[in-house]
Amino acid sequence: MLGLGDSWVFLAYVLCILSTILCVTYSFVNWNKDIKEDISWLEEEV
Amino acid sequence: MNIPLATFITLIYIGITIYLSWLGFKKTRSAADYLIAGRKVHPFLLAMGYGATFISTSAIVGFGGVAGFMGMGLLWLTFLNIFVGIFIAFVVFGKRTRAIGRHLGAHTFPELLGKRFQSKWIQIIAGGIIFLTMPLYASAVMIGVVRFVEQTFHLNYDLALFIFAFLVMGYVFFGGLKGVLYADAFQGSIMLLGMLILLVFTYYRLGGVIDAHAGLTALKTRLPQKFIDMGHTGWTSMPVIGSQLWWTMVSTIVLGVGIGVLAQPQLAVRFMMVNSGREINRAMGVGGFFILMTVGVTFVTGALSNLYFVDHFDKIAMQMAVDPVTLKPNIDTIIPIFLNSSMPQWFTYVFLLILLAAGMSTISSLFHAIGTSFGRDVFQQFFKEATHKKTIIITKIGIFIGFVLTTILAYKLPGSIIAIATALFFGLCAATFLPAYSGAIFSRYISRNTAYLSMGCGFFAWLFCVLFLHVKESSALGLCNLLFSKPSLCGDSILAFVDPIVISLPVSAVVAVAGTLVDRAKKKVS
């Protein structure tokens, strides 16, 4: 396990890398998306 | 270290920062420009600005030192910083904050809450809390820079502190948020490059990734008995579950900062600066990588410093950090000592720039948030007729008051305070603001009264824990001792080591959820 002392620290080490990959992947997949719908209720409430 | 060369490099760095701030000043034509950079920020500026503001000398020096003491278990905080602090913050909170902030015409975090709940008092109270408590965090960041500058230039601490604080205050004062953002991008780039070099050098010096980890794992035989009694099991494994050290690591360090980041006013306002959700998408990849390379590298380096110190000085990091005057270890000195003793001479100059960049980028945003809280959220709510020009002037006065408060605190705070003060402020923001902020952007039913109740219960629950339960603060503040003749109402129980956020955030969240359910029922009836 990369020379680490227990599986919890190994898991944290791996999750750090995986969550970075998640951020980068999400960024590229949605590069031109998400430029109306969800907050129309604000018109009534505020 | 060659002092004239270090001074020359520092002056060039400061010159570039001042030039970028001047560029921001030239492009600031309205109050909206000064407060939220005109809502037209480039994704790269958003990512680097968010990352450089989030990651300060507190993370590098303070929490890096904590990793030298506690070990690589702190990587759970790195994971939360990336997954919660970037992914959840950008995708779940960021896009809605941007859209709702723009819709309501909000320019600050308290103003977003105030306009959403149609209550100027929510804006005033939130602004007041930020104005009065943010200097605690700013002073922790400042101590991190000044301690390194003091050691590097052999400058008097008080003089180094004043020069640094005055310099940052000056460029925020004139450049507004545009100046802060341009400087952030430059400073963030320096941090990214410097930490990449540090990662490669540290692993290279210690024989590669697996050998370095294995060497550190084998080092657990060098743990002092005092550490073992606290629950320490070594620098590459988690502390004993439920032990004093485990609670400190998990509740204060990991949860306090890992969750608290979602309700940081100086970070939430960043989402209101971009033109659409697309910019937030584009910024996220850079942001995630930035956090991995700064926080992740710092925590790994801090833990591995033990291996280097034992190999070269036959001492672990906490023994290397013993202050010759107090004879107690000062955690905040572990990273500077490690770098000064293990890295090549030229890297000391690079690290000096990393720390200056990390400190200046965070403090500039904090000073800006303190100033806008005072000018926009408190002053302008009492004097509605104030012109935009007057708002900027009052904001600048707020920045100056923030500078004075921060500098005084940085003079007064004791050693080993950086990580504690940071976690305290993050915990306060989470307990007070997070449930109300979540309700504001996700629920159409949450009412003004529910927001008041949630913020009030969260704040006072946090304050009660700090004053009477969490022994680290309650013993230092002394009120519990004065009233009950003991440092904490929890006595010797393990509860005395449970961070205030573990109690106060659930209190605030339960009040917000219960209140929203009642509000929804009322609206359906009416």
Side-chain angles (χ1 to χ4, degrees):
Chain A
M1 296 193 300
L2 290 175
L4 295 166
D6 75 7
S7 51
W8 284 106
V9 172
F10 172 72
L11 182 62
Y13 200 97
V14 171
L15 284 175
C16 288
I17 295 165
L18 288 179
S19 53
T20 304
I21 293 169
L22 173 69
C23 288
V24 173
T25 307
Y26 184 94
S27 207
F28 280 112
V29 169
N30 296 288
W31 192 258
N32 280 317
K33 294 179 187 168
D34 281 323
I35 292 181
K36 281 178 183 165
E37 297 158 13
D38 287 3
I39 58 170
S40 54
W41 49 267
L42 272 175
E43 302 286 355
E44 303 161 35
E45 304 292 339
V46 179
Chain B
M1 174 176 266
N2 183 333
I3 299 295
L5 178 60
T7 307
F8 179 68
I9 291 170
T10 303
L11 287 175
I12 289 177
Y13 162 80
I14 289 169
I16 294 171
T17 300
I18 289 171
Y19 170 71
L20 291 169
S21 179
W22 177 78
L23 271 185
F25 170 72
K26 292 289 284 180
K27 293 184 177 182
T28 296
R29 296 188 179 88
S30 68
D33 279 345
Y34 193 87
L35 295 169
I36 49 167
R39 296 194 200 277
K40 287 176 184 169
V41 168
H42 189 276
F44 180 75
L45 287 180
L46 170 65
M48 296 307 267
Y50 189 95
T53 298
F54 184 4
I55 304 308
S56 62
T57 40
S58 171
I60 296 172
V61 174
F63 285 78
V66 171
F69 166 43
M70 294 185 181
M72 287 197 193
L74 257 72
L75 285 173
W76 280 103
L77 174 57
T78 305
F79 166 60
L80 282 190
N81 282 163
I82 299 167
F83 186 70
V84 176
I86 297 292
F87 188 76
I88 300 291
F90 277 51
V91 175
V92 180
F93 282 78
K95 292 182 181 182
R96 295 187 76 90
T97 300
R98 185 206 69 78
I100 291 174
R102 188 187 191 95
H103 190 84
L104 298 175
H107 296 74
T108 65
F109 179 74
E111 188 174 22
L112 176 75
L113 296 178
K115 286 196 169 180
R116 168 63 184 84
F117 294 117
Q118 299 178 87
S119 162
K120 77 170 187 178
W121 280 105
I122 282 185
Q123 184 174 351
I124 290 168
I125 291 167
I129 289 172
I130 292 164
F131 176 68
L132 292 173
T133 59
M134 198 175 261
L136 175 70
Y137 176 33
S139 63
V141 175
M142 199 174 284
I143 291 169
V145 185
V146 175
R147 285 290 175 208
F148 192 79
V149 169
E150 174 194 33
Q151 287 187 9
T152 305
F153 290 98
H154 307 296
L155 266 180
N156 171 278
Y157 176 82
D158 297 350
L159 179 65
L161 177 64
F162 182 78
I163 292 171
F164 180 76
F166 193 77
L167 185 72
V168 179
M169 193 270 293
Y171 87 77
V172 179
F173 197 88
F174 292 107
L177 197 55
K178 281 194 172 179
V180 168
L181 275 173
Y182 294 158
D184 275 0
F186 166 60
Q187 290 157 345
S189 304
I190 288 176
M191 289 165 70
L192 202 54
L193 185 65
M195 296 308 275
L196 190 62
I197 296 169
L198 178 61
L199 176 71
V200 172
F201 251 94
T202 302
Y203 275 133
Y204 174 74
R205 279 278 160 117
L206 298 170
V209 175
I210 293 177
D211 282 356
H213 292 170
L216 188 61
T217 301
L219 214 61
K220 63 182 175 187
T221 54
R222 297 293 301 262
L223 277 172
Q225 187 57 43
K226 187 180 161 191
F227 287 15
I228 295 170
D229 294 343
M230 293 165 74
H232 211 308
T233 61
W235 289 278
T236 59
S237 52
M238 291 293 283
V240 175
I241 293 178
S243 65
Q244 174 188 332
L245 195 67
W246 187 87
W247 272 110
T248 302
M249 181 191 281
V250 172
S251 70
T252 300
I253 304 292
V254 175
L255 288 179
V257 178
I259 304 293
V261 65
L262 288 174
Q264 287 293 295
Q266 76 281 10
L267 296 179
V269 75
R270 301 278 165 155
F271 299 122
M272 294 191 242
M273 302 183 316
V274 291
N275 203 25
S276 76
R278 187 177 58 183
E279 277 75 20
I280 292 176
N281 287 341
R282 291 180 175 184
M284 196 167 58
V286 177
F289 182 68
F290 184 90
I291 300 296
L292 179 74
M293 291 312 299
T294 48
V295 186
V297 170
T298 300
F299 294 170
V300 167
T301 302
L304 286 172
S305 70
N306 285 283
L307 187 57
Y308 178 84
F309 288 141
V310 167
D311 283 350
H312 291 80
F313 304 99
D314 200 32
K315 289 178 179 176
I316 62 169
M318 287 292 272
Q319 291 164 339
M320 289 294 291
V322 170
D323 187 316
V325 178
T326 62
L327 298 179
K328 289 180 178 175
N330 184 348
I331 285 176
D332 301 340
T333 61
I334 289 176
I335 291 289
I337 292 171
F338 171 65
L339 291 165
N340 281 321
S341 59
S342 71
M343 293 291 149
Q345 185 73 43
W346 62 266
F347 188 76
T348 315
Y349 301 111
V350 173
F351 195 73
L352 172 66
L353 291 184
I354 292 173
L355 282 193
L356 283 172
M360 288 174 92
S361 56
T362 302
I363 293 177
S364 61
S365 294
L366 296 181
F367 278 177
H368 187 269
I370 291 167
T372 56
S373 293
F374 182 77
R376 178 87 180 168
D377 300 320
V378 177
F379 178 84
Q380 200 175 12
Q381 297 316 302
F382 286 116
F383 302 96
K384 277 285 186 187
E385 73 284 357
T387 61
H388 296 152
K389 196 173 179 181
K390 193 177 271 183
T391 298
I392 292 179
I393 292 169
I394 297 299
T395 297
K396 287 181 174 180
I397 291 171
I399 290 169
F400 182 74
I401 296 171
F403 153 75
V404 172
L405 287 175
T406 301
T407 308
I408 290 171
L409 276 173
Y411 276 118
K412 298 287 182 191
L413 289 174
S416 298
I417 191 68
I418 297 177
I420 296 169
T422 303
L424 260 180
F425 179 73
F426 275 58
L428 165 68
C429 287
T432 308
F433 300 129
L434 187 54
Y437 169 44
S438 304
I441 61 173
F442 289 107
S443 169
R444 67 178 296 172
Y445 298 109
I446 185 169
S447 69
R448 177 191 309 166
N449 288 340
T450 297
Y452 272 128
L453 266 177
S454 171
M455 288 170 66
C457 290
F459 178 77
F460 286 109
W462 177 87
L463 193 62
F464 179 79
C465 292
V466 165
L467 291 175
F468 298 107
L469 301 184
H470 196 227
V471 72
K472 211 153 204 168
E473 290 90 33
S474 64
S475 61
L477 294 169
L479 184 63
C480 189
N481 211 19
L482 187 72
L483 297 177
F484 304 104
S485 303
K486 50 185 177 183
S488 161
L489 292 180
C490 297
D492 295 330
S493 145
I494 200 72
L495 285 173
F497 299 97
V498 176
D499 194 79
I501 194 175
V502 175
I503 297 166
S504 54
L505 179 58
V507 166
S508 174
V510 165
V511 170
V513 171
T516 303
L517 290 174
V518 172
D519 294 334
R520 189 170 74 164
K522 277 183 186 171
K523 276 182 185 170
K524 285 192 172 173
V525 168
S526 64

